[in-house]
Amino acid sequence: MPLSSTTRARTVPAGGVPPAELSLSADEARRIVLRAQGFLGAPDRRAGVRGVLRALGAVQLDTISVLARSHELIPYARLGAVGRPAVEEAYWGRGTSFEYWSHAACILPIEEWPLFAFRRREYARRGHRWHRMEDKERSCALVARRLREEGPLTASDLGGNSVPGGTWWDWSESKIAIEWLLDVGEVVCVERRGWKRVYDLAERAVPEELRREEPDDEACLTALVARAGRALGVATRADLADYHRLRAAQVDRVIEGTGLVPVRVEGWGRPAWADPAALQSPPRGRHRTTLLSPFDSLVWDRPRAERIFGFTHRLEAYVPKARRVHGYFAMPLLAGGRLVGRVDPAREGSTLVARQVSLDGPKHAESAVKALEEAAGWVGCDSVRIERVVPESLGPVLRSLS
């Protein structure tokens, strides 16, 4: 669908000065968002997983693994069945990324290291994050010395995560020290091994030219808001703030310097900004049909997903089983540029099991089966079994297609 005649006449010319405000229909905004997030148009397979990471700017990590871990699902959703070992190698190989606090614990492109200097300084000024050390200077020095002498280590290598006999939250002194050094940038997480963070000294893991950069807070925030705007396509102030978990006041402080263009979006009811490059041509191309991680940046901001797609989603992994509506790890189904249902997956040997499939209507049944079969092949399953279907009347339709 092309941009409306009003919008098309006022789109931002390449290299030109944008008008004071553009008007976008809700549908135009939705399509711009989909293209910015990598779900509309031909995927850039040459750039691959690293290209997805650079385009998004942050890929959220999470402990839950059902179909696959969330950070694996992100490139899969955009590129299709890219090999899972290749995903890990693309994230962690050759010093191209690091893990730090962004939207949550996220994999970030290594070139963004200088941009989080504002957060490292904020932690340093505070003096602690959650835990306090008994002897901060001695504990940090000991951990740093071991990394220097022994190379990259996990918290287990350094003495264990927890105090013996304590709970998971009763961190050991060495665990507190290594996490503190991570917070303030003296240490970097360079890999996840068996889901354990692997730590190394920043002086070894981060290229010297990036470590030398120390932008002030204003420059960090300006760059991060601008990058969030590019990744989101069109966004409100709250959307921009949520992407890297900034404060609204921080966005307000720098928004004029980001280069983002003020726009009015039908039905949004609040000011918004768009990436000027996204306004230079109408979004065109093929829509991706896929299952999404609940932690995908297309949907991780629940109010935004509801505003753009009319789709309300809740992660029910921590909801008692009897009270779940859609399932333990219900994955939104994206088809035709819209969120049209949910699938709660599981694996039994070589079978991908859809514990529950919830669809908005019968016309989405074929898309659901297509998404399930592609996902099954990607994770090495050779069959799909569909259990519960909501509404029940769609059960025979789905099973006849699978």
Side-chain angles (χ1 to χ4, degrees), residues 116-164:
F116 285 87
F118 85 99
R119 188 156 283 161
R120 296 191 289 267
R121 288 191 291 262
E122 190 174 290
Y123 283 133
R125 286 193 295 270
R126 192 189 307 171
H128 66 93
R129 182 155 49 104
W130 295 318
H131 300 77
R132 296 177 186 268
M133 285 169 269
E134 294 176 8
D135 189 336
K136 186 175 186 179
E137 187 174 340
R138 179 181 178 279
S139 298
C140 289
L142 178 61
V143 164
R145 185 171 74 247
R146 287 199 59 189
L147 289 174
R148 185 165 288 108
E149 293 174 354
E150 300 175 43
L153 298 169
T154 66
S156 297
D157 297 330
L158 290 164
N161 288 296
S162 304
V163 174

Side-chain angles (χ1 to χ4, degrees), residues 183-202:
D183 289 343
V184 298
E186 293 183 35
V187 157
V188 183
C189 175
V190 294
E191 182 186 357
R192 286 271 185 157
R193 190 184 302 151
W195 202 242
K196 295 179 179 179
R197 281 179 176 153
V198 180
Y199 306 90
D200 199 3
L201 296 171

Side-chain angles (χ1 to χ4, degrees), residues 232-254:
L232 292 168
V234 184
T236 66
R237 177 182 70 170
D239 300 341
L240 292 168
D242 184 72
Y243 205 78
H244 292 295
R245 294 288 163 86
L246 307 177
R247 294 185 289 276
Q250 291 175 315
V251 175
D252 288 343
R253 206 165 81 215
V254 302

Side-chain angles (χ1 to χ4, degrees), residues 57-397:
V59 168
Q60 185 173 342
L61 293 154
D62 192 78
T63 58
I64 298 174
S65 180
V66 178
L67 189 63
R69 290 206 186 271
S70 185
H71 67 285
E72 298 176 280
L73 292 166
I74 305 308
Y76 162 73
R78 291 155 176 82
L79 302 174
V82 58
R84 293 175 69 186
V87 172
E88 294 296 330
E89 194 279 332
Y91 283 141
W92 302 121
R94 307 184 200 130
T96 55
S97 65
F98 69 107
E99 180 184 332
Y100 196 62
W101 305 109
S102 167
H103 183 81
C106 289
I107 303 174
L108 305 165
I110 194 67
E111 58 266 27
E112 290 189 1
W113 173 264
L115 305 184
F116 285 87
F118 85 99
R119 188 156 283 161
R120 296 191 289 267
R121 288 191 291 262
E122 190 174 290
Y123 283 133
R125 286 193 295 270
R126 192 189 307 171
H128 66 93
R129 182 155 49 104
W130 295 318
H131 300 77
R132 296 177 186 268
M133 285 169 269
E134 294 176 8
D135 189 336
K136 186 175 186 179
E137 187 174 340
R138 179 181 178 279
S139 298
C140 289
L142 178 61
V143 164
R145 185 171 74 247
R146 287 199 59 189
L147 289 174
R148 185 165 288 108
E149 293 174 354
E150 300 175 43
L153 298 169
T154 66
S156 297
D157 297 330
L158 290 164
N161 288 296
S162 304
V163 174
T167 67
W168 69 272
W169 190 241
D170 294 326
W171 286 4
S172 66
E173 185 82 351
S174 61
K175 170 67 172 175
I176 300 171
I178 195 67
E179 288 293 329
W180 172 248
L181 293 175
L182 177 77
D183 289 343
V184 298
E186 293 183 35
V187 157
V188 183
C189 175
V190 294
E191 182 186 357
R192 286 271 185 157
R193 190 184 302 151
W195 202 242
K196 295 179 179 179
R197 281 179 176 153
V198 180
Y199 306 90
D200 199 3
L201 296 171
E203 64 195 52
R204 271 200 306 247
V206 180
E208 184 180 357
E209 62 271 20
L210 294 177
R211 285 189 286 110
R212 280 202 307 263
E213 288 187 47
E214 193 68 20
D216 62 22
D217 287 6
E218 203 86 356
C220 292
L221 295 170
T222 302
L224 286 173
V225 173
R227 290 180 183 224
R230 287 198 297 273
L232 292 168
V234 184
T236 66
R237 177 182 70 170
D239 300 341
L240 292 168
D242 184 72
Y243 205 78
H244 292 295
R245 294 288 163 86
L246 307 177
R247 294 185 289 276
Q250 291 175 315
V251 175
D252 288 343
R253 206 165 81 215
V254 302
I255 190 69
E256 288 189 10
T258 62
L260 299 176
V261 178
V263 295
R264 182 188 299 113
V265 181
E266 172 195 14
W268 282 23
R270 64 197 73 181
W273 289 263
D275 171 22
L279 298 173
Q280 289 177 12
S281 61
R284 292 192 179 95
R286 186 176 231 169
H287 287 288
R288 181 96 171 96
T289 297
T290 189
L291 299 177
L292 299 174
S293 163
F295 305 108
D296 193 296
S297 51
L298 185 69
V299 295
W300 68 17
D301 183 344
R302 308 302 193 225
R304 174 177 166 86
E306 188 162 357
R307 183 185 341 119
I308 295 173
F309 297 103
F311 186 85
T312 302
H313 190 69
R314 180 186 183 192
L315 179 67
E316 297 180 321
Y318 307 108
V319 174
K321 186 175 182 179
R323 290 170 48 198
R324 291 176 192 153
V325 176
H326 298 291
Y328 174 80
F329 193 71
M331 300 177 67
L333 170 63
L334 178 69
R338 300 183 185 277
L339 299 175
V340 297
R342 300 164 178 82
V343 173
D344 184 36
R347 293 177 65 182
E348 292 181 4
S350 62
T351 300
L352 190 157
V353 181
R355 298 289 191 206
Q356 180 171 318
V357 178
S358 308
L359 293 179
D360 289 349
K363 66 180 179 179
H364 305 304
E366 190 172 342
S367 295
V369 171
K370 177 184 175 183
L372 279 165
E373 290 179 343
E374 184 184 75
W378 177 56
V379 297
C381 292
D382 55 23
S383 62
V384 173
R385 186 175 80 246
I386 297 172
E387 295 187 340
R388 186 164 184 255
V389 179
V390 178
E392 289 184 15
S393 59
L394 295 181
V397 179

